[in-house]
Amino acid sequence: MSETMTGAEMVVRALQDQDVQHIFGYPGGAVLPIYDALFQQNSVEHILVRHEQGAVHSAEGYARSSGKVGVVLVTSGPGATNAVTGLTDALLDSIPLVCFTGQVPTHLIGSDAFQECDTVGITRHCTKHNYLVKRIEDLPRIIHEAFYVARSGRPGPVVIDIPKDIQFASGTYLPPGDMIHKSYRPRTEGDSSRIEAAVAMMAKAKRPVFYTGGGIINAGPEASRLLREFAKLTGFPVTSTLMGLGAFPANSPQWLGMLGMHGTYEANLAMHGCDLMINLGARFDDRITGRLDAFSPDSRKIHVDIDPSSINKNVKVDLGIVGDCAKVLAEMVRIWKEKKYQPEAEALKGWWGEINKWRGRNSLGYARSKDIIKPQYAIERLYELTKDRNTYVTTEVGQHQMWAAQHFHFNEPNRWLTSGGLGTMGYGLPAAIGVQKAHRDALVIDIAGEASILMNMQEMSTAAQYRLPVKVFILNNEYMGMVRQWQELLHGGRYSESYSQALPDFVKLADAYHAHGIRCADPAKLDDAIREMIDYPGPVIFDCLVAKEENCLPMIPSGKAHNEMILPDFAGEIGDVIDAKGKQLV
Amino acid sequence: MKSHYSDPTTSQIVERRVLCVLVDNEPGVLARIAGLFSGRGYNIESLTVSETEHEKHLSRITIVTSGTPNVLNQIEAQLDRMVPVHRVVNLAAKASIERELALVKVSQNGPDRSEHRMEALRLATAFGAKTVDATLNSFIFELAGPADDVERFINLMTAIGLVEVSRTGAAAIGRGAEPM
């Protein structure tokens, strides 16, 4: 059924037809008609952020915690350029977003008009796809196509740039219908003969390991359930990337903890020493592999990924399977059962014996203190006091992020939201706002550092306006801690510009933002302070004063292999570990 | 010590590859393709594009690129996952035809003028080039052929008064009855 309406009305109607309940945005001259259309309806709720970067991160938090497509609406020029960091973040972490940007009227494009920028040109490299709508006839198709592209295959952000005259123009609206894209039809079913070969390899493996990633989360809760079932059937150990935490329960005895640069000793040595690596939805990122020519030298590698370009990109694998993790895992489980495969029990027992020896090193250990709050201790207590609740955790980027990944344990998918690929400081607070919007009754905590939080601190106003009781838990060590740690490692402890000078008083800042402020510096009082934070019915800023020069360990230093980790009981001089070549790496 | 990013494939031999890419002829599609190559540090030796199926708005892009086999496979995969890309085909050198077009302007002045003019015409005939423009002291030749022929023709003309060259990238098509 077709109806005549304006372009602006089509945007709102298409959002309703795409089952969108919440959008995050900021108005401006070039999107006023869309804001007017939003004003005249009640089914789509708009959340007014305080900076467009915040809108995109909020939509990311919303999307990752709910499995839906996140939606953003911003104006032309600075509205669009401010969104660029968020879009890039979503591209690297494969988060489905549709971002509407206003544009100057078509006859002014190219004239350097007020608030004009080449939005499709600028965002071409940081989106999965983007569109400039030049004719009202194309608008409904483009919007529905954008939602399809954002959520299909490897998810990602899509920008739709709509000139103002198109928003005013009248045309015929078309509902979504059955979308058959003329060129973009990503493969989701894995090749069955390859899956059979993979399962046969697993049945013969003597030292196997599952290396799982964000692809399991993106494939939906069923993929996590199947991973658990398959891990149980095989008895294999499981590790995960930062992006995949929660897909496999941290309370399972088969869980090795996170792997990679700040992963556990047992996870990294299992990766190094395995004879079969089963990569499910991870992408052999440089934070994971460490030194490539020494990466897992004796293993055969299976890689399941929905993006064919991920396979053999960084690491050459023996068997690549293009497909959706949930669908491939379902096939793997079916074949394993049908063929009545049994794991190599004796060999596996020996392998677990080795793993347990590595576990015995207690690589996440740290020196405890009665006088000062250790950051690891703060995360441990936060976990203990919130684990029985409906809790979601977002983070900023830096040491606190890694400590959260190490010491906060996740048993369910979609509960952990962090900027993994791009490493965007300022992600956590707006993402927490997006999570809270999608899960009104949940406890949503942004684990932050005192430097990161200031990058999008203005979003506290958004939390206050919409009464979103997000808790900002700042591990305040008065340093950009990861920068300081790398300066200690690489630059002789010369802490160039990494000290957080002239910090605001976070408790007073909370007050100014209509939130509750708490400060704690005493380990003995920490539990009560955390309880106070949890029980407070509105937004909280918790200023947790922690040990200032604590290093985040264990660590695989740049240029080193998985079996060359620095462990917490390392006695040497940390500044001597990395050689000149390694210092050039990031 | 080898770096953390050192690619074990760097010891592989650099090869040339001709890719045919069928894309929707939508605004910005060429910028998208070119941006992929610049953004990821891939080489483009030549790129030729034109709409080949007007009613379907399909353009065919012929890209000549070079790299190690791993990089070339990665280029194909990266192209193939782009939203407006319909197909990517690797045209094997022996089973395909490649042609470039060059417009070559030569101008003769000085004492050897008439000898050089005769030589230019003889070479043009030998290469199968067409004379598309002539004045008393210049010619413009049109030569279509494999890149090597065009290259040799231009080099020979350099000695006898080459002043300007305009040339396209390669257009390529697979041999035999089957379409791509």
Side-chain angles (χ1 to χ4, degrees):
Chain A
M1 202 180 66
S2 59
E3 268 182 79
T4 302
M5 60 181 78
T6 67
E9 288 164 346
M10 284 183 194
V11 171
V12 175
R13 171 63 72 84
L15 291 178
Q16 291 164 345
D17 286 350
Q18 291 287 343
D19 202 22
V20 173
Q21 276 114 38
H22 301 102
I23 69 172
F24 300 86
Y26 203 103
V31 278
L32 285 178
I34 300 174
Y35 273 87
D36 197 42
L38 281 171
F39 189 79
Q40 299 180 46
Q41 54 84 51
N42 286 318
S43 62
V44 179
E45 188 193 347
H46 177 273
I47 292 96
L48 175 68
V49 296
R50 298 306 190 263
H51 184 288
E52 288 88 350
Q53 186 191 352
V56 187
H57 293 324
S58 291
E60 285 186 90
Y62 187 89
R64 196 156 181 92
S65 67
S66 69
K68 296 181 185 169
V69 176
V71 181
V72 178
L73 173 58
V74 296
T75 193
S76 63
T81 57
N82 278 346
V84 163
T85 300
L87 293 169
T88 314
D89 192 274
L91 182 69
L92 279 178
D93 284 346
S94 308
I95 310 291
L97 297 183
V98 171
C99 175
F100 294 89
T101 56
Q103 182 55 278
V104 301
T106 39
H107 70 276
L108 287 179
I109 289 179
S111 70
D112 295 331
F114 177 65
Q115 292 197 329
E116 184 193 353
C117 73
D118 176 9
T119 301
V120 284
I122 292 169
T123 59
R124 193 171 289 133
H125 304 276
C126 62
T127 53
K128 182 173 173 185
H129 196 53
N130 63 11
Y131 303 87
L132 170 62
V133 185
K134 288 189 171 160
R135 305 183 320 154
I136 184 72
E137 296 86 329
D138 297 331
L139 182 60
R141 173 188 59 82
I142 286 177
I143 299 175
H144 299 312
E145 199 177 296
F147 274 87
Y148 165 80
V149 169
R151 72 164 82 90
S152 308
R154 181 173 178 178
V158 178
V159 162
I160 308 175
D161 198 27
I162 312 178
K164 197 170 179 180
D165 55 324
I166 304 291
Q167 298 171 33
F168 277 122
S170 273
T172 306
Y173 175 75
L174 296 166
D178 289 329
M179 178 77 212
I180 299 175
H181 196 281
K182 53 188 170 176
S183 57
Y184 187 67
R185 285 171 226 156
R187 176 181 188 138
T188 57
E189 311 273 350
D191 179 284
S192 51
S193 64
R194 284 172 173 261
I195 297 176
E196 285 196 20
V199 178
M201 280 160 85
M202 288 184 233
K204 287 197 207 109
K206 296 191 161 53
R207 301 188 310 280
V209 64
F210 281 116
Y211 151 43
T212 66
I216 303 266
I217 312 268
N218 274 337
E222 180 64 5
S224 294
R225 193 196 63 73
L226 286 160
L227 171 65
R228 290 155 198 234
E229 185 181 350
F230 200 33
K232 202 166 183 184
L233 283 172
T234 55
F236 294 176
V238 183
T239 179
S240 159
T241 66
L242 182 71
M243 295 309 295
L245 295 178
F248 192 75
N251 60 15
S252 160
Q254 281 168 265
W255 173 241
L256 304 184
M258 181 176 76
L259 81 160
M261 187 172 266
H262 292 288
T264 65
Y265 190 61
E266 53 272 32
N268 285 332
L269 284 196
M271 288 287 280
H272 189 80
C274 64
D275 73 340
L276 182 68
M277 179 184 297
I278 308 125
N279 173 344
L280 301 169
R283 60 184 175 90
F284 293 109
D285 173 272
D286 60 64
R287 300 295 97 164
I288 295 306
T289 59
R291 186 174 147 188
L292 267 179
D293 59 356
F295 174 69
S296 194
D298 303 320
S299 64
R300 299 219 288 161
K301 299 173 186 75
I302 297 168
H303 187 183
V304 180
D305 203 298
I306 199 157
D307 178 358
S309 77
S310 283
I311 294 170
N312 292 326
K313 181 173 66 180
N314 299 333
V315 170
K316 187 116 184 86
V317 296
D318 300 274
L319 182 62
I321 299 170
V322 176
D324 175 88
C325 278
K327 294 189 173 173
V328 174
L329 268 168
E331 276 303 286
M332 287 178 165
V333 169
R334 187 187 63 77
I335 293 165
W336 183 278
K337 286 179 177 165
E338 200 177 274
K339 302 225 167 170
K340 298 195 166 55
Y341 278 129
Q342 291 296 327
E344 290 276 350
E346 202 52 41
L348 216 51
K349 205 174 147 197
W351 178 228
W352 272 110
E354 277 187 74
I355 290 171
N356 286 330
K357 252 187 271 166
W358 297 326
R359 265 184 180 157
R361 288 294 297 269
N362 186 25
S363 62
L364 297 180
Y366 60 95
R368 288 164 193 268
S369 167
K370 280 204 167 75
D371 311 316
I372 192 153
I373 300 177
K374 286 298 189 93
Q376 302 94 326
Y377 177 75
I379 304 285
E380 268 176 23
R381 295 316 303 158
L382 190 63
Y383 170 67
E384 285 301 324
L385 296 168
T386 59
K387 66 180 180 186
D388 297 326
R389 292 169 182 266
N390 179 18
T391 307
Y392 290 79
V393 172
T394 71
T395 74
E396 310 289 334
V397 168
Q399 283 184 322
H400 67 273
Q401 177 191 26
M402 292 298 112
W403 281 318
Q406 292 170 339
H407 298 277
F408 204 104
H409 308 294
F410 298 91
N411 295 318
E412 295 299 329
N414 305 93
R415 298 289 172 142
W416 160 252
L417 302 98
T418 193
S419 170
L422 192 64
T424 311
M425 292 170 73
Y427 168 89
L429 174 55
I433 286 170
V435 175
Q436 190 83 72
K437 200 66 214 177
H439 307 275
R440 245 359 259 224
D441 301 324
L443 172 64
V444 184
I445 305 171
D446 170 28
I447 298 179
E450 85 291 335
S452 281
I453 190 65
L454 290 175
M455 286 216 181
N456 273 321
M457 182 48 112
Q458 77 286 345
E459 297 306 323
M460 283 303 292
S461 282
T462 310
Q465 179 180 343
Y466 295 92
R467 301 182 194 288
L468 299 170
V470 296
K471 318 297 182 197
V472 178
F473 189 81
I474 303 174
L475 294 181
N476 183 349
N477 56 6
E478 297 178 18
Y479 277 108
M480 295 160 207
M482 197 59 96
V483 175
R484 190 209 58 73
Q485 178 170 339
W486 278 57
Q487 288 172 332
E488 183 182 349
L489 271 164
L490 306 174
H491 297 284
R494 296 179 293 281
Y495 298 146
S496 179
E497 303 294 329
S498 54
Y499 184 68
S500 297
Q501 301 239 357
L503 282 173
D505 179 327
F506 285 109
V507 173
K508 284 187 185 154
L509 196 58
D511 198 38
Y513 278 120
H514 317 289
H516 181 51
I518 300 171
R519 178 171 294 122
C520 184
D522 180 356
K525 292 181 183 151
L526 183 61
D527 278 19
D528 283 344
I530 290 174
R531 282 192 201 98
E532 183 188 340
M533 175 183 87
I534 296 166
D535 292 340
Y536 187 78
V540 174
I541 298 178
F542 190 120
D543 187 16
C544 187
L545 304 179
V546 298
K548 294 198 197 321
E549 299 196 357
E550 188 79 6
N551 281 321
C552 185
L553 295 172
M555 179 176 187
I556 304 176
S558 331
K560 302 276 183 181
H562 278 178
N563 57 349
E564 299 176 289
M565 297 186 78
I566 308 175
L567 290 170
D569 53 10
F570 176 70
E573 195 60 46
I574 213 164
D576 298 337
V577 176
I578 302 181
D579 58 19
K581 190 86 181 173
K583 286 183 187 182
Q584 295 172 21
L585 303 172
V586 292
Chain B
M1 192 191 100
K2 284 188 186 158
S3 100
H4 167 108
Y5 295 107
S6 75
D7 188 344
T9 62
T10 44
S11 56
Q12 293 183 326
I13 298 157
V14 171
E15 295 172 6
R16 177 177 182 275
R17 190 172 288 185
V18 180
L19 300 172
C20 278
V21 188
L22 210 57
V23 299
D24 276 325
N25 186 16
E26 58 178 35
V29 69
L30 189 59
R32 231 177 263 288
I33 303 276
L36 169 72
F37 278 76
S38 64
R40 293 187 183 266
Y42 304 144
N43 300 316
I44 298 184
E45 291 184 0
S46 84
L47 186 150
T48 307
V49 54
S50 188
E51 190 169 87
T52 48
E53 292 177 58
H54 299 301
E55 61 298 340
K56 289 186 192 158
H57 298 290
L58 286 180
S59 285
R60 178 164 170 141
I61 304 177
T62 308
I63 303 172
V64 181
T65 180
S66 62
T68 61
N70 277 5
V71 168
L72 294 171
N73 293 338
Q74 185 61 206
I75 290 173
E76 281 187 42
Q78 292 286 354
L79 284 169
D80 205 26
R81 74 177 186 145
M82 296 179 93
V83 171
V85 170
H86 287 254
R87 285 193 69 195
V88 181
V89 174
N90 170 9
L91 285 182
K94 281 184 187 144
S96 63
I97 314 274
E98 255 179 72
R99 288 294 178 268
E100 287 186 17
L101 178 77
L103 295 169
V104 179
K105 186 183 283 187
V106 289
S107 161
Q108 291 87 17
N109 291 300
D112 299 330
R113 176 166 163 265
S114 92
E115 199 179 311
H116 281 175
R117 279 177 75 78
M118 290 307 293
E119 189 55 35
L121 282 175
R122 274 197 294 270
L123 284 170
T125 310
F127 275 81
K130 271 200 281 182
T131 310
V132 290
D133 182 67
T135 68
L136 288 174
N137 59 353
S138 72
F139 290 114
I140 298 175
F141 298 116
E142 173 197 307
L143 177 64
D148 286 354
D149 286 5
V150 173
E151 198 66 40
R152 280 193 298 133
F153 184 66
I154 291 169
N155 285 340
L156 288 168
M157 287 296 160
T158 310
I160 46 174
L162 181 82
V163 290
E164 189 178 347
V165 178
S166 173
R167 71 191 272 196
T168 66
I173 199 162
R175 288 182 185 271
E178 289 302 308
M180 81 180 246

